[in-house]
Amino acid sequence: MIYTVTVNPSLDYIIDVDSFKTGTINRTKAEKLIAGGKGINVSIVLHNLGIETRALGFAAGFTGNEIERRLNDHGVQTGFIHVNSGFSRINAKMRSIESDSVVEETEINGQGPLLTKEDLNHLYEKLEELKEGDTLVLAGSIPSTLPLENPQSLYSDIMAKLSGKGVRFVVDATRDLLKKSLAYKPFLVKPNNHELGEIFGVELKTREEVVPYAQKFREMGAQNVLVSMAGEGAVLAAADGKIYKGEAPKCTLVNSVGAGDSMVAGFIAGYQKSGDYKEAFKMGLCTGSASACSEHLADKEQVQKLLENYTGLQE
């Protein structure tokens, strides 16, 4: 079973506005409401690809109930801890449209509910259910409302509690939250090129520039380092010591929300199917692009179509 943890899930309100202008009234051209959060996105895409998954995290208020309802209606198993304070956040994501093309995306993200130590202990109890062979995906940022002296230690704390149980860890996070996880040798980490560059104090624009820093991350403990680069594709420093570079599959960008999470899901699904890092990388690239070039998160048919035509992989 593949479990995901989204500490601060959301309802994402996504709107399209023609030629957005500040300081005046703008009217939406299109709008939709979806369950959001990095771990949730991973679970949805895994389910779309036919992989069994369960989404864990915290839910509060009417928005928390709606997030869980939407996931269950989609067919994704859930195990949220319901908290008593506040409500799960609403994130507004606006796309400015000109000549039927997205020219700019703007996000306003909510805070989320106040969490207690008891809430956190309930999460730890649920995670005790994991057993050897399971995969745990820890994805997204940690809210300031978390009752920890150092919230950036949450993922490493979870990994420490599960250490020795044979659980495979996947981490998609930034800064200290990601760096602290490396001590537990996660199976996969997925920073993007900007996040990786920020950690090392450099600017990384090309796949060639990313390679040595992805290798450094492997030396620091990660087994596989998958670096997403939006339209530039991605780089994989694999556990077998090989470096793979891939162009982004050709398609028209529609919605970048969830593309990196979809890449994580695709890699996991590809590795589970083939046991091969190269094939997993290819699947990750095509799954990420399938989401980026669609109004919804990637499904099996879209991914398969991109895989059949993809020739942009280099070793």
Side-chain angles (χ1 to χ4, degrees):
M1 172 74 83
I2 298 170
Y3 294 81
T4 64
V5 170
T6 307
V7 178
N8 205 10
S10 63
L11 276 180
D12 289 349
Y13 179 51
I14 302 172
I15 58 176
D16 292 349
V17 177
D18 276 333
S19 303
F20 174 76
K21 295 181 178 62
T22 60
T24 186
I25 294 174
N26 296 269
R27 301 193 185 280
T28 63
K29 180 179 181 180
E31 57 189 351
K32 62 181 177 180
L33 195 63
I34 61 174
K38 295 181 75 63
I40 283 174
N41 291 338
V42 172
S43 276
I44 289 173
V45 175
L46 284 170
H47 175 76
N48 290 349
L49 297 176
I51 305 294
E52 190 177 17
T53 178
R54 189 177 188 203
L56 307 177
F58 299 102
F62 73 102
T63 45
N65 292 336
E66 181 64 10
I67 290 167
E68 191 164 31
R69 185 192 70 78
R70 285 174 177 266
L71 287 172
N72 290 335
D73 286 352
H74 191 79
V76 175
Q77 298 178 44
T78 58
F80 288 110
I81 292 96
H82 288 265
V83 304
N84 297 319
S85 176
F87 56 91
S88 294
R89 60 186 178 152
I90 298 173
N91 293 339
K93 302 175 185 291
M94 187 195 70
R95 303 184 298 185
S96 183
I97 307 295
E98 292 182 9
S99 302
D100 293 325
S101 296
V102 177
V103 295
E104 187 176 54
E105 294 182 329
T106 303
E107 299 187 22
I108 302 174
N109 292 342
Q111 293 183 40
L114 181 66
L115 302 175
T116 67
K117 288 185 178 180
E118 185 178 7
D119 296 327
L120 192 55
N121 287 335
H122 286 322
L123 176 63
Y124 290 147
E125 288 168 8
K126 279 190 178 291
L127 292 172
E128 285 299 321
E129 299 172 11
L130 274 69
K131 58 186 184 301
E132 185 173 359
D134 287 337
T135 296
L136 177 62
V137 180
L138 301 165
S141 60
I142 304 301
S144 59
T145 56
L146 197 74
L148 285 176
E149 185 175 332
N150 181 7
Q152 298 304 305
S153 70
L154 177 63
Y155 289 170
S156 55
D157 290 347
I158 288 172
M159 296 166 81
K161 288 178 182 296
L162 296 177
S163 182
K165 292 189 68 171
V167 174
R168 180 182 288 161
F169 300 116
V170 174
V171 182
D172 184 359
T174 61
R175 300 182 183 179
D176 284 351
L177 195 57
L178 177 58
K179 285 174 65 178
K180 288 176 180 292
S181 75
L182 299 179
Y184 297 93
K185 303 190 183 306
F187 171 72
L188 175 69
V189 298
K190 195 218 67 68
N192 63 37
N193 56 306
H194 303 297
E195 293 161 349
L196 186 65
E198 184 178 38
I199 286 172
F200 289 105
V202 296
E203 188 175 12
L204 304 174
K205 294 182 178 179
T206 68
R207 293 190 292 274
E208 288 71 23
E209 289 173 343
V210 162
V211 168
Y213 294 96
Q215 289 175 312
K216 284 184 180 181
F217 240 44
R218 277 207 65 233
E219 293 168 5
M220 291 166 67
Q223 297 177 49
N224 293 282
V225 181
L226 175 59
V227 185
S228 58
M229 302 182 67
E232 289 298 311
V235 170
L236 173 68
D240 58 9
K242 294 182 179 179
I243 299 292
Y244 300 97
K245 293 174 282 186
E247 299 175 1
K250 304 300 181 187
C251 61
T252 301
L253 176 66
V254 174
N255 178 25
S256 64
V257 176
D261 312 325
S262 299
M263 182 179 285
V264 171
F267 186 95
I268 294 169
Y271 187 79
Q272 183 163 307
K273 180 180 179 181
S274 67
D276 182 88
Y277 299 119
K278 181 178 178 181
E279 290 303 311
F281 181 49
K282 193 164 141 182
M283 181 84 163
L285 277 162
C286 290
T287 306
S289 287
S291 287
C293 301
S294 171
E295 286 290 350
H296 54 79
L297 292 173
D299 61 37
K300 199 170 186 177
E301 185 177 346
Q302 292 172 308
V303 174
Q304 190 57 43
K305 192 172 182 180
L306 288 176
L307 279 169
E308 289 170 357
N309 299 304
Y310 184 68
T311 58
L313 196 63
Q314 300 175 345
E315 293 185 41

